[in-house]
Amino acid sequence: MRSLHVWSLALIFAAIGFGMAAYKHLTLEFPLTPDTTYKSWYVESRVDLASKNPWRQGDKPIIFTLQLPHQSERFVLVDENIVARGFGHEITESDADGNRTAVFSKRRMDANETIFYRAIVYELDSPSKQVVAAPPQPDSSYQKKNRPKLEEGEKEAPVYVAIDALIGEAKDKSASTKTFVREIYRLVGDASDDRVKLIRDSVEEELTDVELASLLLQADGISTRIAHGLKLSEDKRRAGTVQWLEVFVKNDWVGIDPEHRSFGLKDKYIVWWYGDKGLYSVEGNARAETMIAVRQNTNNALTRAIWKSGQLADLFLTFSFYNLPLDAQLVFNVLLMLPVGGLVMAFLRQVIGVKTFGTFMPVLVALAFRETGLFAGVLLFTLVVILGVIIRNYFDALKLLLVPRLTAVLTVVVIVLSLIAMITNQFGMIVGLSISLFPIVVLTMTIERMTMMWEEYGSETAIKTGLMSMGCAIIAYFAMNDETLNYLMFAFPELLLVVLALAMVMGRYNHYKLTEYIRFRQLQKSLAALEKKEAEKVK
């Protein structure tokens, strides 16, 4: 019953720990390694404004409107900056097309001016699904219901005939909305088609293929919108905007790839604005020229995960070590590794059967090795223990009582460490601070226990136990000093529940230790050999 209780608790703790860690990794995108990186993009729009004519009293103020990029399911804007010295500006979040615009104004402009808009764009590994409101039904003048009514005997205008013919042909060759859109795209791409030429000639503005396809689809009652954006693929000083069509299909806007002309954007496109407006407009006595630059950047994936958690107001980030002051973070970065070192010690002692001086002495020594370095730490530990044992034996000859003797040994340990710090400093080796972090009390107790073991069990057992303690400290050092493990414990502190579960499971392990198994196996072989000799004598 007790075993079942322990196993159940361990299972629950492990499940909670792994479950919470999995949520943070899969949903909040916390990376599993500290060096995981991701690509972000810096986009910058530079606007050069110049006066058309010298300023005169009565000139209208300069009003410059610039479209701003959109966030989407795939891309988010984490930082935006505007540099517009001498201009007043404001950002409007939404116009009729759902665009964000920055409006800059200035009463008088005597010299050339430059405006910068910069943004950092994060690309999400797992796009966040957004609820999309259904757009109003298109109300195109080319729809049959909106066309001028014909008098008796009057024929349909040629442009309407051409539109109906193209729509009819596309419908005949399609079986769904998507295939219909694909056929429309194919038809408008045929520049030699007389119907396409007729439609282009009938409208006042020159139409691109995307705009013509939108015209035909809206004429058939399908909601569309024209997107303008950037292709994020490489660094560009002068990145041109790209135009593509989005169609409302099955309660969602689906983009049509501008290069492959297939549903779904194959490459990374960020929407800058929607509609038939331009990137910017300017009013007043000024002309403008814009240039958009794109640069790829590499960031730590943890930065993006923390940002994403903050956006979601997630409980995991609210109660995260990353919200603590920096000095507190550094302290917990060390403390969180103590259970890991303890788990290593539990495994070495309970499963392998290694004997050490004290249960957690190697863990504390390994902790000190993090500051001194492994090689210097081992040398210091060995030197202090050897000197301490020699002096402890001398104190024993003086017949001192236990507590005063421990105090004397402690004092000697401090003196030895002080001398080492001063001597090494003369050789240009700065180890004073690292020595101060050595567990002095633990060293004192180790010297005491080693001396007692020496007296009771002999020098061989004492030296062997000392070496095993050192070996355990080195193993614990590598476990506690592992960069990935350090990161995992700090970023996913819920893994402490998994450590707790493993410790509970090991606490119920009562079988042979590995060293006992090897020893008893040799004994069994010896007994078998002895029995064999006895049997041969009887024969």
Side-chain angles (χ1 to χ4, degrees), residues 287-311:
R287 59 177 179 273
E289 184 178 346
T290 63
M291 182 178 71
I292 298 177
V294 176
R295 182 167 65 85
Q296 195 177 45
N297 194 45
T298 301
N299 294 96
N300 191 304
L302 185 61
T303 307
R304 182 182 59 173
I306 293 173
W307 172 85
K308 187 174 181 180
S309 303
Q311 291 297 106

Side-chain angles (χ1 to χ4, degrees), residues 392-404:
R392 159 68 176 77
N393 284 328
Y394 174 72
F395 288 153
D396 195 43
L398 298 178
K399 305 297 182 185
L400 299 179
L401 295 176
L402 177 62
V403 176

Side-chain angles (χ1 to χ4, degrees), residues 498-510:
V498 179
V499 174
L500 176 61
L502 292 174
M504 293 176 71
V505 169
M506 271 193 278
R508 297 297 298 177
Y509 180 80
N510 54 10

Side-chain angles (χ1 to χ4, degrees), residues 68-115:
L68 300 181
H70 285 233
Q71 295 198 123
S72 64
E73 296 177 354
R74 189 170 185 180
F75 294 104
V76 292
L77 304 171
V78 295
D79 191 21
E80 291 180 297
N81 293 295
I82 290 176
V83 179
R85 187 173 299 174
F87 283 86
H89 69 270
E90 67 170 346
I91 295 178
T92 58
E93 291 298 327
S94 179
D95 63 4
D97 293 317
N99 295 320
R100 298 168 62 242
T101 55
V103 181
F104 302 87
S105 58
K106 193 171 187 179
R107 176 72 59 185
R108 170 178 174 175
M109 192 174 76
D110 295 320
N112 295 345
E113 302 280 359
T114 302
I115 296 173

Side-chain angles (χ1 to χ4, degrees), residues 337-358:
M337 296 311 294
L338 285 176
V340 175
L343 187 67
V344 171
M345 285 308 306
F347 179 80
L348 291 173
R349 288 176 65 97
Q350 195 66 23
V351 179
I352 305 297
V354 177
K355 293 180 179 177
T356 60
F357 293 123

Side-chain angles (χ1 to χ4, degrees), residues 392 395 399-412 444 448:
R392 159 68 176 77
F395 288 153
K399 305 297 182 185
L400 299 179
L401 295 176
L402 177 62
V403 176
R405 188 178 64 207
L406 284 175
T407 306
V409 173
L410 178 66
T411 306
V412 169
T444 305
E448 180 68 18

